[in-house]
Amino acid sequence: MNHRSIAIDGPSGAGKSTLAKRLAQELGFLYVDTGAIYRTVGLAALRRGIDLSDAAQVAAVLPQLTITMGYGEDGLQRMCLDGEDVTAAIRENEISACASKVAAIPAVRDFLMEMQRKAAREHDVIMDGRDIGTVVLPRADLKIYLTAAPEARAERRCRELLERGQQANFDQVLREVVERDRRDTQREAAPLRQAEDAVLADTTGLDLEGSFQLLLGIIRERLGMEEGSHAE
Ligand code: DC
């Protein structure tokens, strides 16, 4: 059976994961957060104390890793690393930079490709990441490039950190956002860019509800899904 796939790509902090999660629930699709998979490799490399910018060192540890993606009773994605549930650990702020560094390594991207494509073969998916529409699922039924101004994204990230009881300094978070954008868009391996056939959605100035309605409207129109229609 052919499954439907929606690819959502864009820079960090554009609201991809929050929106994709809600959209998946609304439409009855499986939400696949591919950033979580890269974060798991970043965490593994950090724990092993290897130099994350040394592609050969990182590539050498990949065969030793057992990374699995599953879904909890709440329907949310859980990541396991060598049998340990690392779903919470990969959300630590320092893991963002680690993930961005290992994601620039082609061997890491190749290593994680099949896991992502398999999910799309087996389920209706909303998959978010940086190269889903361009590399992982080039034949996705719908591609959305979700973005917002760096300042808006840094502001959202600060709010998120504060809500989790962590420290947040706007200037530092903005610097991190800009630096991560630079690394993600300028790397040689599968850089972040808008696919030619992707619909551009800019959420600067929109709140979560406004962004959700914008994307839901695009999906319903492009995939011909009526309100209330749900995947079987
Ligand atoms: O979406 P995120 O912040 O959890 O992603 C973490 C890092 O992983 C981010 O810097 C870019 C990288 N990434 C990627 O290169 N390709 C993907 N499909 C998803 C994430």
Side-chain angles (χ1 to χ4, degrees), residues 34-35 38-39 99-100 103 109 129-132 180 184 187:
T34 63
Y38 286 93
R39 284 171 180 271
S100 173
R109 307 201 71 84
R130 304 296 189 286
D131 63 336
I132 309 305
R180 208 136 69 96
D184 293 343
R187 68 181 178 215

Side-chain angles (χ1 to χ4, degrees), residues 18 34 46 65 74 83 96 100 108 116 123 130-131 134 140 144 158 160-161 167 177 180 182 185 214-216:
T18 311
T34 63
L46 180 76
L65 307 181
D74 52 6
S96 301
S100 173
V108 171
Q116 300 169 74
H123 307 273
R130 304 296 189 286
D131 63 336
T134 51
I144 296 174
C158 281
E160 223 176 81
L161 288 169
Q167 302 235 334
V177 164
R180 208 136 69 96
R182 192 195 59 73
T185 56
L214 173 71
L215 295 195
L216 191 58

